Amino acid sequence: MPDRQAVIDRKDLGALFTLLADEGYQTIGPKPYDGAIVYAPISSPEELPKGIGDEEEGGHYRLTQRGDAKLFGHTKPVQGLKAHLYPARQKLWSAEKAGHGFRVVKDAAPQPRYAFIGVRACELSAMLVQDRVFEGGPYVDKGYAERRKNCLIVLVTCDHAGNACFCASQGTGPDASEGYDLKLAEVVDGSRHVFVTEAGSDKGRAILSKLSKQDAADGDVKAAAANLEAAAKGQKRAMIAGVAELLAAKLESPHWEDVAKRCMSCGNCTMVCPTCFCSTMEDATDLSGLKAERTRKWDSCFSIDYSYIHGGPVRNTAGARYRQWMTHKLSHWVEQFGVSGCVGCGRCIIWCPVGIDITAEAKAILKGA
Amino acid sequence: MSAREKPRLGVFKFSSCDGCQLSLLDCELELLAVTDAVEIAYFLEATRKDMKGPFDVVLVEGSITTPHEAELIRQIRKSSKVLITIGACATSGGIQALRNFADVNGFLDIVYARPDYIETLDTATPIADHVQVDFELRGCPINKYQLLEVLNAFLNKRKPNIQNYAECIECKQRGTVCVMVAKGVACLGPVTQAGCGGLCPASHRGCFGCFGPMETPNTTALADRFLNELGQDKGTVLRAFRSFNANAPAFREESLKHE
Ligand code: SF4
Ligand code: SF4
Ligand code: SF4
Ligand code: SF4
């Protein structure tokens, strides 16, 4: 049974930020920046994108004015929280020359403690997917595991879906039933501006107990439910059913070469995808050759080096690279990790400079069957 | 290490603006480490010492535009163990390769009072068209950290960490909001090799293609986007592909389609 719902008034939301900061969290939330909403360090609700919405399509994104006071009236930010939990560049260790060999120096810096505010259901689903990737097998990524264990998640449910969203068809949103510490649904009705709040963990309950709140009114709960329903029903895109089996059977489809004409192998889709995790190792020395360092950097299945083995790259054509990306996300990810690698956030569609749409490509492959 | 054991470095210039070799002087703090690691045997921008080869490592800036240069680069190659070309001029021909699309005599008549004194080639071409090159470092100008990385890698006998993928990957790693998607600004990032660190998009401008074509450039898909979605005309698309790396094969072929 979920906990009984309470509401936090808009004017009391600042206390949540203060409390989290007092407990040693670095608060990260959505913020307008350079014509988009991004996740960034924020210290109060005043920095949230008040009254700002977002307009999205394949290869297109603009901020809009909503004409209300909502703080979370946008959808998912440009890049996911992957950039915090699994940074684009991570120094793994360094080494110093010692005699004829070398000595490894471990980097012992403590991992940050993030409180993520305004996390959407698709984002949380993506974290649960990456948990399986980095912590699910016998070899746990210790840095990720520690950052993940340290973090606190304040989920916010969506009041509408963006044009590129398709979480409903992936079963990954717009509502979430587990994995968050607090869940907020923002309700604005005339001068009433409240957050219907629920705790989803002991950490969340402890925080909620220290915040000033009232019992939710019937109208609040109904409005929150209606918003969520609008977000689910209003989705303009959907992933076709049975896509995992379909793609597994279509590895030789002529459609891959059709995508190859449009796809630039630029890697934007993999960079913005909140579940993509491919990386490369970079070993570097200093000029004297006395010190060395190993860094892990995001890479992409669209790069040639990524599939380079003795004798050359395995994926030589743009069609082969796009096929790798799409079939991994939607098909063999399921065999590998037990879930789909796509949470339907639509980021790859929006931030593809030529607007290639993973839902439309899936449909085209189905039609060509 | 005693001075005698240090590898000998030569820095040579052909048709170019000097900007790339100046990146070496621009290394400031790291420059001391460089001079610790190598003996600068020839580098006119830094020292009047004019030592003869052989050289262990040679950095070559500029493109080949005269018969004299074509001969000189062969001599330098003969006296160098490792030859690294730096910058758009040396790796693709540079901005002066615009002459490759026109009749060079037309320029001579406009620019020089006595064109008959000028001995020049019809084209500006990269060093690799004339001699074997061990590594090409792109950029207009090059990125000084990449230059240090390449020198460092050759001195320590390892592979340089230089990526050939699209500029977009660096741009996203930096957390820049895409100017093409969020502002409708034409950007060459998807077809340009990474290396600058994402300078232009981070300053709200589209990528100009300074680092030349990336490893698998689909210029046609990008040009279609410029024409059909971003409202550019053929002339603008032609000029986008015909700048510092106009003579790089992928950019040259694309610009020719829009003549
Ligand atoms: S594949 Fe696209 S829609 Fe799916 S999770 Fe990744 S970015 Fe989102
Ligand atoms: S994909 Fe779903 S959860 Fe994510 S922003 Fe869109 S509606 Fe919200
Ligand atoms: S699908 Fe789009 S974003 Fe992804 S590599 Fe191709 S062109 Fe780039
Ligand atoms: S701004 Fe340019 S370089 Fe950056 S992601 Fe967009 S298209 Fe690529």
Side-chain angles (χ1 to χ4, degrees):
Chain A
M1 271 297 286
D3 293 358
R4 195 162 60 108
Q5 288 176 313
V7 294
I8 296 175
D9 197 273
R10 158 72 183 87
K11 67 176 177 1
D12 296 323
L13 192 64
L16 172 64
F17 284 75
T18 316
L19 185 63
L20 291 172
D22 288 349
E23 301 211 347
Y25 287 106
Q26 188 184 344
T27 45
I28 307 287
K31 187 179 169 164
Y33 168 79
D34 256 359
I37 309 280
V38 302
Y39 283 121
I42 53 171
S43 54
S44 88
E46 308 318 314
E47 292 180 68
L48 291 165
K50 181 177 166 187
I52 299 179
D54 45 8
E55 168 191 298
E56 56 186 48
E57 255 316 323
H60 174 93
Y61 179 98
R62 293 291 183 277
L63 291 182
T64 56
Q65 293 300 324
R66 287 177 54 106
D68 64 14
K70 274 205 170 169
L71 303 177
F72 297 99
H74 53 278
T75 64
K76 69 273 158 180
V78 178
Q79 268 174 296
L81 291 165
K82 174 172 93 173
H84 289 86
L85 292 172
Y86 181 60
R89 251 195 118 83
Q90 300 173 51
K91 183 176 147 192
L92 296 185
W93 48 268
S94 51
E96 288 168 359
K97 196 158 187 159
H100 289 293
F102 62 89
R103 183 175 50 238
V104 171
V105 188
K106 285 232 165 100
D107 189 3
Q111 297 294 346
R113 291 182 78 216
Y114 293 122
F116 297 124
I117 298 173
V119 176
R120 303 304 163 126
C122 58
E123 194 83 75
L124 176 57
S125 297
M127 284 187 202
L128 300 177
V129 171
Q130 286 210 325
D131 289 353
R132 291 176 183 240
V133 172
F134 293 125
E135 302 184 54
Y139 306 105
V140 170
D141 181 323
K142 289 191 188 128
Y144 175 89
E146 201 179 327
R147 288 186 289 277
R148 187 67 177 89
K149 183 166 71 69
N150 285 351
C151 81
L152 183 120
I153 294 171
V154 181
L155 185 107
V156 169
T157 51
C158 293
D159 75 346
H160 72 288
N163 281 352
C165 296
F166 58 99
C167 61
S169 63
Q170 290 295 81
T172 48
D175 198 7
S177 54
E178 54 162 357
Y180 54 84
D181 296 294
L182 285 176
K183 172 154 92 173
L184 310 184
E186 186 174 26
V187 173
V188 175
D189 183 11
S191 61
R192 185 170 170 80
H193 190 167
V194 297
F195 295 89
V196 180
T197 308
E198 234 179 76
S201 71
D202 290 341
K203 266 200 274 186
R205 266 181 286 278
I207 303 255
L208 191 54
S209 71
K210 294 183 200 150
L211 293 172
S212 118
K213 57 195 173 294
Q214 301 97 45
D215 279 347
D218 262 4
D220 300 332
V221 177
K222 273 192 197 134
N227 284 344
L228 254 179
E229 197 179 319
K233 295 229 166 105
Q235 303 203 351
K236 299 199 170 59
R237 284 178 162 86
M239 182 50 71
I240 52 170
V243 69
E245 299 73 26
L246 172 78
L247 293 181
K250 289 290 167 196
L251 297 179
E252 302 301 333
S253 166
H255 189 72
W256 302 117
E257 282 317 304
D258 180 81
V259 189
K261 291 190 195 115
R262 291 170 278 135
C263 173
M264 304 183 290
S265 297
C266 66
N268 273 297
C269 46
T270 56
M271 294 291 113
V272 295
C273 178
T275 68
C276 275
F277 58 83
C278 289
S279 63
T280 185
M281 293 296 173
E282 232 177 57
D283 290 336
T285 45
D286 69 351
L287 272 166
S288 67
L290 297 176
K291 285 189 181 145
E293 212 169 270
R294 172 163 288 186
T295 309
R296 182 162 62 175
K297 277 173 70 184
W298 288 356
D299 202 342
S300 168
C301 50
F302 284 95
S303 86
I304 288 291
D305 257 4
Y306 197 70
S307 76
Y308 194 93
I309 55 167
H310 173 74
V314 172
R315 291 186 280 273
N316 267 308
T317 63
R321 291 187 288 273
Y322 188 85
R323 177 178 64 185
Q324 161 63 26
W325 138 258
M326 186 175 177
T327 56
H328 189 211
K329 294 271 92 167
L330 296 169
S331 184
H332 49 273
W333 201 293
V334 183
E335 289 159 41
Q336 201 179 359
F337 300 112
V339 286
S340 169
C342 172
V343 297
C345 69
R347 286 185 175 105
C348 56
I349 303 173
I350 304 167
W351 300 101
C352 170
V354 289
I356 291 175
D357 176 346
I358 193 169
T359 64
E361 300 310 331
K363 279 187 196 133
I365 288 170
L366 176 67
K367 265 209 209 128
Chain B
M1 216 190 276
S2 77
R4 243 177 307 141
E5 292 167 340
K6 283 188 191 177
R8 290 161 55 86
L9 174 76
V11 183
F12 292 90
K13 173 190 150 63
F14 288 82
S15 292
S16 57
C17 76
D18 273 33
C20 288
Q21 38 172 325
L22 286 177
S23 305
L24 189 57
L25 294 181
D26 194 27
C27 288
E28 294 167 0
L29 282 182
E30 298 91 338
L31 191 57
L32 292 175
V34 173
T35 53
D36 269 353
V38 298
E39 179 191 359
I40 297 183
Y42 184 91
F43 185 11
L44 290 186
E45 285 281 5
T47 162
R48 267 182 288 163
K49 256 194 307 189
D50 178 5
M51 288 188 269
K52 299 281 171 263
F55 303 99
D56 293 290
V57 182
V58 150
L59 299 176
V60 177
E61 175 197 277
S63 58
I64 303 298
T65 61
T66 66
H68 168 70
E69 286 180 337
E71 178 46 36
L72 186 60
I73 189 63
R74 279 187 206 105
Q75 286 172 20
I76 292 172
R77 174 71 268 191
K78 274 189 207 140
S79 52
S80 316
K81 276 193 202 148
V82 172
L83 190 152
I84 300 167
T85 52
I86 57 170
C89 300
T91 59
S92 80
I95 192 74
Q96 57 275 26
L98 287 177
R99 69 160 71 167
N100 303 6
F101 298 86
D103 176 9
V104 76
N105 294 315
F107 295 123
L108 289 182
D109 291 343
I110 298 170
V111 176
Y112 298 100
R114 292 291 305 270
D116 49 314
Y117 284 180
I118 307 293
E119 198 186 1
T120 190
L121 296 171
D122 289 344
T123 54
T125 44
I127 301 296
D129 281 8
H130 301 265
V131 295
Q132 170 165 353
V133 169
D134 297 296
F135 193 84
E136 292 192 310
L137 183 64
R138 304 269 198 87
C140 184
I142 54 168
N143 173 336
K144 68 171 181 180
Y145 297 106
Q146 285 203 326
L147 176 62
L148 282 170
E149 167 59 17
V150 171
L151 272 179
N152 183 331
F154 275 93
L155 293 174
N156 287 298
K157 300 187 172 53
R158 62 176 174 84
K159 178 173 169 265
N161 291 310
I162 301 290
Q163 314 294 343
N164 305 117
Y165 52 46
E167 179 48 37
C168 297
I169 292 190
E170 274 192 329
C171 189
K172 283 284 183 296
Q173 287 182 351
R174 183 174 174 151
T176 303
V177 176
C178 175
V179 298
M180 191 136 70
V181 170
K183 297 193 177 80
V185 172
C187 178
L188 286 176
V191 297
T192 299
Q193 181 171 301
C196 65
L199 282 182
C200 288
S203 318
H204 313 122
R205 311 181 67 154
C207 165
F208 291 98
C210 306
F211 282 63
M214 51 82 95
E215 54 195 8
T216 54
N218 185 346
T219 52
T220 309
L222 188 64
D224 284 351
R225 187 80 181 173
F226 287 0
L227 290 167
N228 303 330
E229 302 290 333
L230 302 182
Q232 291 205 336
D233 57 27
K234 276 170 89 84
T236 315
V237 175
L238 181 148
R239 285 188 296 279
F241 285 100
R242 198 173 284 178
S243 65
F244 326 110
N245 286 291
N247 191 50
F251 287 2
R252 183 180 58 220
E253 278 156 35
E254 191 57 43
S255 80
L256 287 172
K257 288 187 207 157
H258 305 276
E259 273 191 340

